[in-house]
Amino acid sequence: MKSFGTFLLTVLFVIFPPKAEAQTIEYGGMQYGVKVGTSAGIHCTERHIDVSAGWRFNRKHYLGIGTGYQQTDITDDADPTNGNGKVAFIPLYADYTYYLPFNAHSNDSFLLGVEAGGGYYPDKTPCKENYDNRFSPIIKAKIGLDFHIVKTLNLNVALGVLISDVAGIGIDIGATF
């Protein structure tokens, strides 16, 4: 599954190369991203790797689409035998990010964003009792920092609140180019 994400990102990068440095553009251009992260809640954990591609309208606005691979683990305290252990989840979501450049370091930004969409459990669901419900909506609000490294490469770190079958607070570390 990880090779599919790499393949998708490579194809998009070849078809739509980045136009200019992500933080300094005043016009539109393609932006790609990859991130890894984790979230934890009261009865659940998840780990994920995502790739995204979208349009950077200007220095402040980005809208894209993302997918990846997520591993979910939910425990049901009412019935501990109800959990299926670690379960695969494939998300597909729209990503809007608002960048607010710092005054002193205009290539670095504060970021706010939201990811919304849905996902599919290809093998089994996290809880045995709702085996028929393989689709799940997802919403993630994020807040973080975006640092310019070189040319089109930026490093970002964001805290997020995830609402889906897995509800919790997490962290993402990624790169955009």
Side-chain angles (χ1 to χ4, degrees), residues 81-159:
T81 62
N82 192 28
N84 274 328
K86 294 181 179 170
V87 178
F89 182 71
I90 310 298
L92 181 61
Y93 57 87
D95 178 6
Y96 172 76
T97 305
Y98 178 77
Y99 295 92
L100 183 61
F102 296 132
N103 288 335
H105 302 280
S106 62
N107 287 341
D108 300 330
S109 299
F110 181 72
L111 67 87
L112 297 167
V114 65
E115 299 170 0
Y120 178 72
Y121 294 102
D123 185 29
K124 56 187 174 180
T125 59
C127 292
K128 294 176 183 174
E129 70 182 25
N130 62 350
Y131 186 75
D132 294 334
N133 188 13
R134 291 186 174 261
F135 292 95
S136 175
I138 53 173
I139 297 173
K140 180 190 253 182
K142 59 186 175 180
I143 184 171
L145 300 170
D146 186 64
F147 301 103
H148 177 74
I149 305 298
V150 294
K151 295 213 176 207
T152 62
L153 180 65
N154 288 4
L155 175 68
N156 50 59
V157 177
L159 297 174

Side-chain angles (χ1 to χ4, degrees), residues 4-177:
F4 173 73
T6 305
F7 172 75
L8 178 65
L9 188 62
T10 304
V11 168
L12 290 171
F13 187 70
V14 169
I15 294 172
F16 304 106
K19 302 283 189 209
E21 294 182 17
Q23 290 294 349
T24 60
I25 59 176
E26 297 297 332
Y27 56 89
M30 288 299 294
Q31 177 177 300
Y32 306 96
V34 62
K35 67 179 176 179
V36 296
T38 185
S39 295
I42 296 172
H43 302 290
C44 54
T45 59
E46 69 84 22
R47 294 186 177 122
H48 61 268
I49 181 166
D50 288 347
V51 294
S52 63
W55 192 256
R56 184 79 178 251
F57 294 95
N58 53 36
R59 293 182 69 184
K60 296 184 178 183
H61 301 280
Y62 165 78
L63 181 63
I65 189 166
T67 189
Y69 176 80
Q70 180 176 316
Q71 189 177 50
T72 303
D73 190 7
I74 295 178
T75 57
D76 186 354
D77 282 350
D79 182 7
T81 62
N82 192 28
N84 274 328
K86 294 181 179 170
V87 178
F89 182 71
I90 310 298
L92 181 61
Y93 57 87
D95 178 6
Y96 172 76
T97 305
Y98 178 77
Y99 295 92
L100 183 61
F102 296 132
N103 288 335
H105 302 280
S106 62
N107 287 341
D108 300 330
S109 299
F110 181 72
L111 67 87
L112 297 167
V114 65
E115 299 170 0
Y120 178 72
Y121 294 102
D123 185 29
K124 56 187 174 180
T125 59
C127 292
K128 294 176 183 174
E129 70 182 25
N130 62 350
Y131 186 75
D132 294 334
N133 188 13
R134 291 186 174 261
F135 292 95
S136 175
I138 53 173
I139 297 173
K140 180 190 253 182
K142 59 186 175 180
I143 184 171
L145 300 170
D146 186 64
F147 301 103
H148 177 74
I149 305 298
V150 294
K151 295 213 176 207
T152 62
L153 180 65
N154 288 4
L155 175 68
N156 50 59
V157 177
L159 297 174
V161 175
L162 177 64
I163 301 169
S164 72
D165 284 349
V166 178
I169 297 173
I171 187 166
D172 288 335
I173 299 173
T176 57
F177 45 95

